[in-house]
Amino acid sequence: MALRFFNTYSRRVEEFKPRKTNAVDLYTCGPTVYSRAHIGNFRAYIFEDLLQRHLEARGLKVHRVMNITDVDDKTIRGAREAKIPLQKFTQQFKDAFFEDAEKLRIKPANEYPAATDQKYVDKMIAMIGDLISKGLAYQADDKSVYYRIKSFPNYGKLAHFNLDELQSTGRVKHDEYDKEHVGDFALWKAWDQDDGDVKWDSPWGPGRPGWHIECSAMATALLGDQIDIHCGGVDNIFPHHEAEIAQSEGVTGKKFVNYWLHCAHLLVDGQKMAKSLGNFYTVPDVTAKGFTGRELRYALMRVHYRTQLNFTWDGMNEALESLGRIDDWLERLRGVGENAERPTSNVERQTGSDFEDALDDDLNISAALGFLFETIRETNRAMDEKKLDEKTAAGWLDWWERINQTLRFESDGAELPDDVKKLAEARLQARLAKDFRKSDELRDQLNALGWEARDTKDGQKITRRAGAK
RNA sequence: GGCGGGGUAGCCAAGUGGUAAGGCUGCGGUCUGCAAAACCGCUAUUCGCGGGUUCGAUUCCCGCCCCCGCCUCCA
C-alpha cells in the first residue's frame, strides 16, 4: 500500500510522493523557549516522531529540522523580569526541552537552528529585503517592516480563510494605524525600550525578526527552497504557516511545501491545554505522579494525530497497563524463542506487514496497535497450548524488533527500588518456608507501593503497577 | 459570523454500502496454596437526532443538535 497523508492545504488524504527517490525533507516547528514545554506541545513532537520513524521504516532517509524560537515578546519579557540576559533565560528551557524529549524517546532532529543565530538573522534580513524590493513588504511609520498580504494572491489558501471575513478575537493587540491592512504581519520588529539590549542591526534600523520569518529562513537555509513535509500543531496553520508560505514563496517563486501535516490539540478537562489557560502539565509533572516517559509516550501516541486527545490520569493508567501487557508478552515470548535461530530473511513473510500498512494510511496508529494486540493474544494462546515453536516465536520477536523501531515502547528494564527489592526478597524466603501468611502480607505491602508480586514456574516476578513511585 | 475536527459500549478508540477491530475497566471460568499473568466466556440488535436513497446505512445525501479548535506572534 502506498503512503498517504492528509494534507492541510488540499484538505484531502493524498498519496505521498517525496521529491527525491529515497529521501524526505521534514521541517517541524519547535518550541518557543520562554517556559518549559508542556505535554500538549510534546504531543505534536511525538506525532512528528511517529511520522519520521514510519518514513524510515519504509526505507526513506529523513532529514529533519526543528527550529528553536529563542527570541520573541515572551522570551524578552521573561528575561527582563528575571533580570538575566536573554540567552541565559532561554538556555534553561532549551535544556529542559531536550531532557523531556529524550524521556519521551523522541528521535533527535538533524538540526535545531536557533532564531538568534546570526547566520539565520542575516538570512532573514536578506529575505525581508527581497520581499521589499518585490513590493511584497513595506516599512511602516513605526519603523517595523510588514508583509503586504494583499499583494500575495495565495494568502489564506492554507487556512482556507477569506481575508475580508477575518474577525478579530481580540487575542492579539493590533497596531492598526501603522499597517496598510490589519492582516499585514511583522517581518521585522523595530526596537523599542522594552527590548533592552535585544536587537540586531538591519537596513531598517535596529530591531528583531518577526516570528514567522525565522521559519522561512531556517527551513530554506537548511532544506532548500522546497521541502516535502512541514508539520506543526493545528494552531500553527494560521497565521504562522500561512505567513511562511507567503514569505518563502514570495522570495523564491517556488512552491514551498508539498505536504502540510497538522496535529490536533491535546485537551485537558475537555479544553485545549495551553500555557495561556494555565491548565497544562509538563513531563516532570507526569513523572512526579509515578509514570514513566514511555508511558506518557504511549498515552500521547495511541490516538490518531488528527483527533483531539483528552489527557486524563485514567488514560495514563491505561497506558501503563497496556504496556505491561506488551512487557509480559515479550518476556514470555523470549522464554520460548530467544535461543532459536532467527528466520531473518522470512520475518516479513511470516509476520506480514499489517502494522506498517496501517501506518501507511495517514498514520493509523489505532489500527496498527490493534494488530499488535491481536498478535499478542494469538501468540499467547499458542503458548498456552504449547503450540508455538521456537522458530515462530523467534520470528515474532524479530517482528517486534522491527515495529519497536517505530513505536519505541519497550521497557528499559529499570532496576527495582531498594525497598521493593527487600520486600521481594523477604517474600521469596517466606514462600520457600511455606509461610504463606507472611508472604501474602509482604505481597500486600508491595501492592501498597505500586508493585505486584506474581509467582510463575520460573519463580517470583515483580512488576510495576499503577501509582508506583 | 467564516473555516476546520469530532460525537461508535462504563472509559479510550478503529472501521466498513452487507450486518461493529483493539486497549483499559468489571463479572464468571480454567490455572494457582491464595493471587497475579495468560487463556476462554459475558459486557453496543447498535454507531448524536430526524428524514431520504438503497434489497440493505453506522458508512452515501439532506436537515438539525451538541462538543472542541482556528479566525494575525499558541504545538
Side-chain angles (χ1 to χ4, degrees):
Chain A
M1 194 200 282
L3 267 165
R4 301 184 300 155
F5 297 122
F6 183 88
N7 186 347
T8 307
Y9 200 89
S10 64
R11 307 270 189 209
R12 282 170 199 281
V13 175
E14 299 175 5
E15 184 173 337
F16 176 64
K17 292 185 187 129
R19 292 172 308 121
K20 285 167 260 173
T21 321
N22 291 313
V24 178
D25 299 317
L26 177 61
Y27 187 88
T28 56
C29 283
T32 300
V33 283
Y34 72 101
S35 69
R36 194 168 196 128
H38 58 64
I39 59 174
N41 302 124
F42 278 105
R43 187 203 185 183
Y45 308 143
I46 283 194
F47 140 64
E48 291 153 2
D49 188 54
L50 175 63
L51 172 65
Q52 170 166 8
R53 289 174 184 276
H54 183 60
L55 290 169
E56 288 171 347
R58 284 313 199 187
L60 295 159
K61 187 170 165 50
V62 177
H63 182 176
R64 177 175 178 191
V65 173
M66 176 181 268
N67 69 293
I68 306 281
T69 300
D70 56 357
V71 57
D72 78 322
D73 290 350
K74 288 184 287 252
T75 47
I76 290 171
R77 194 193 321 129
R80 195 175 62 230
E81 286 170 0
K83 296 187 170 43
I84 54 175
L86 180 67
Q87 288 286 1
K88 198 173 168 195
F89 177 75
T90 55
Q91 190 60 44
Q92 57 187 321
F93 301 117
K94 286 184 196 178
D95 293 343
F97 168 72
F98 288 115
E99 191 182 305
D100 292 346
E102 192 182 345
K103 271 218 172 63
L104 294 176
R105 306 178 173 190
I106 292 169
K107 187 167 188 163
N110 300 81
E111 285 106 3
Y112 289 99
T116 54
D117 189 326
Q118 187 61 49
K119 65 175 179 277
Y120 298 124
V121 175
D122 290 344
K123 168 109 185 175
M124 294 178 223
I125 289 172
M127 288 181 85
I128 296 168
D130 198 17
L131 290 169
I132 291 176
S133 69
K134 285 178 169 145
L136 288 167
Y138 59 93
Q139 185 168 29
D141 291 341
D142 66 356
K143 301 293 180 205
S144 290
V145 178
Y146 294 97
Y147 195 101
R148 184 177 279 130
I149 59 167
K150 283 289 189 188
S151 298
F152 185 74
N154 285 337
Y155 193 82
K157 291 268 175 70
L158 177 69
H160 296 228
F161 281 160
N162 178 341
L163 295 189
D164 300 324
E165 289 172 2
L166 290 184
Q167 196 175 85
S168 175
T169 54
R171 191 166 63 80
V172 175
K173 199 180 98 209
H174 301 277
D175 301 317
E176 297 183 20
Y177 299 110
D178 297 317
K179 297 191 280 188
E180 293 177 3
H181 184 281
V182 269
D184 289 352
F185 57 89
L187 295 166
W188 186 258
K189 303 188 87 161
W191 179 87
D192 73 27
Q193 283 191 325
D194 285 347
D195 294 340
D197 58 0
V198 178
K199 60 173 187 278
W200 286 264
D201 289 327
S202 82
W204 315 285
R208 59 188 161 96
W211 176 39
H212 313 303
I213 193 70
E214 69 174 81
C215 282
S216 287
M218 297 190 287
T220 53
L222 290 164
L223 297 172
D225 291 348
Q226 297 183 280
I227 61 184
D228 294 303
I229 306 177
H230 192 131
C231 301
V234 286
D235 48 4
N236 276 159
I237 296 171
F238 195 88
H240 188 52
H241 290 164
E242 196 70 62
E244 281 186 53
I245 293 173
Q247 294 161 347
S248 304
E249 299 189 1
V251 169
T252 67
K254 298 177 198 157
K255 187 178 183 188
F256 178 43
V257 168
N258 283 340
Y259 300 87
W260 287 97
L261 271 56
H262 293 96
C263 168
H265 282 131
L266 185 66
L267 310 180
V268 58
D269 298 327
Q271 301 286 127
K272 179 172 93 162
M273 182 176 288
K275 288 174 183 169
S276 57
L277 298 172
N279 62 346
F280 63 91
Y281 298 106
T282 62
V283 171
D285 289 338
V286 175
T287 54
K289 292 259 189 185
F291 293 103
T292 61
R294 77 162 179 143
E295 285 152 7
L296 183 55
R297 177 180 176 84
Y298 184 97
L300 294 178
M301 198 150 108
R302 62 185 238 282
V303 174
H304 188 261
Y305 74 94
R306 281 192 291 116
T307 302
Q308 289 169 338
L309 195 176
N310 197 21
F311 178 82
T312 62
W313 296 109
D314 279 350
M316 285 304 303
N317 279 322
E318 183 188 326
L320 184 150
E321 295 297 339
S322 302
L323 287 169
R325 183 164 164 78
I326 295 172
D327 295 342
D328 291 341
W329 170 68
L330 282 174
E331 189 175 342
R332 210 176 161 196
L333 200 57
R334 289 200 170 109
V336 176
E338 191 148 62
N339 299 318
E341 197 183 313
R342 298 296 176 95
T344 42
S345 56
N346 291 320
V347 173
E348 180 96 16
R349 201 177 312 150
Q350 178 190 331
T351 57
S353 60
D354 286 345
F355 183 87
E356 288 88 349
D357 290 346
L359 290 180
D360 279 353
D361 183 15
D362 197 30
L363 301 179
N364 189 341
I365 188 69
S366 299
L369 291 177
F371 288 121
L372 169 61
F373 285 107
E374 275 173 16
T375 298
I376 288 176
R377 182 159 36 75
E378 282 163 20
T379 48
N380 272 334
R381 187 194 299 139
M383 284 188 279
D384 274 1
E385 293 168 354
K386 308 244 187 299
K387 282 181 184 161
L388 194 77
D389 62 71
E390 278 186 20
K391 228 173 166 171
T392 309
W396 284 114
L397 283 168
D398 279 345
W399 176 74
W400 168 257
E401 298 298 328
R402 194 177 88 206
I403 68 169
N404 189 47
Q405 289 302 309
T406 301
L407 295 173
R408 291 305 313 279
F409 281 168
E410 190 160 332
S411 167
D412 47 18
E415 277 278 295
L416 299 180
D418 283 343
D419 52 342
V420 172
K421 217 184 274 179
K422 256 185 215 152
L423 288 170
E425 180 56 29
R427 181 170 183 275
L428 196 63
Q429 295 306 323
R431 275 181 57 76
L432 286 173
K434 302 261 183 224
D435 185 348
F436 293 122
R437 240 186 102 120
K438 191 173 176 195
S439 83
D440 288 352
E441 264 176 39
L442 289 162
R443 181 167 59 199
D444 288 344
Q445 287 181 41
L446 283 164
N447 285 344
L449 291 171
W451 296 78
E452 220 163 57
R454 117 169 49 132
D455 305 308
T456 73
K457 65 176 169 53
D458 299 321
Q460 175 176 273
K461 292 266 174 5
I462 305 294
T463 321
R464 207 171 62 84
R465 285 298 181 227
K469 293 280 189 259

